[in-house]
Amino acid sequence: MYELIGADLQEYNPASSQEVNLMCEWTGVVLADFLKANVDGTIPTPHFSLNRSNYTGEVMVWSGTEDQDFSTQMGKWISDSYPNSQQAIFNDSHKRDRYDDYYLNFRKAFFLLPD
């Protein structure tokens, strides 16, 4: 977990309540020893260089209006970073388990090519 989000946690500093990310809040507590070890110079934090603007495939970003880990705004930022993407916003939480049949059909429509 630290390898994947350590760099993000070090840069996480919400300036307003709209920027608070609960995933960062709780993982910052869970990984506190790792973050301190990085500050002390004991372990490095990997930085992944993702250049989403170079990805030419289609991307569908799903967001839930009740998602407390990743806001719809964060989903928009991710969607906007890909040149060929769309954001789907659902009245649901992070688990997206309210409308199972609809979600299945939605994924099929996105991933399957027409006959």
Side-chain angles (χ1 to χ4, degrees):
M1 183 185 283
Y2 173 73
E3 286 84 2
L4 292 174
I5 64 171
D8 293 330
L9 290 175
Q10 289 173 335
E11 296 172 9
Y12 174 69
N13 188 18
S16 70
S17 60
Q18 287 80 20
E19 295 177 5
V20 169
N21 180 317
L22 292 181
M23 190 224 34
C24 288
E25 296 288 332
W26 74 264
T27 54
V29 173
V30 170
L31 299 174
D33 292 344
F34 287 91
L35 295 169
K36 182 180 180 321
N38 178 267
V39 169
D40 295 343
T42 308
I43 59 173
T45 302
H47 288 267
F48 296 101
S49 179
L50 297 176
N51 188 345
R52 293 180 175 99
S53 64
N54 287 338
Y55 183 72
T56 58
E58 291 182 90
V59 175
M60 176 64 67
V61 178
W62 288 38
S63 298
T65 58
E66 298 172 22
D67 190 335
Q68 295 186 9
D69 293 326
F70 297 99
S71 67
T72 55
Q73 179 61 48
M74 185 174 288
K76 180 175 176 2
W77 291 330
I78 293 169
S79 181
D80 288 349
S81 69
Y82 288 96
N84 191 17
S85 70
Q86 295 182 35
Q87 181 185 19
I89 301 174
F90 300 99
N91 181 23
D92 208 340
S93 65
H94 187 78
K95 290 174 29 178
R96 291 183 317 271
D97 59 0
R98 251 184 222 160
Y99 312 104
D100 290 335
D101 290 338
Y102 180 80
Y103 296 147
L104 177 62
N105 291 326
F106 192 87
R107 284 191 301 274
K108 285 179 183 178
F110 180 74
F111 287 111
L112 297 179
L113 296 173
D115 293 322

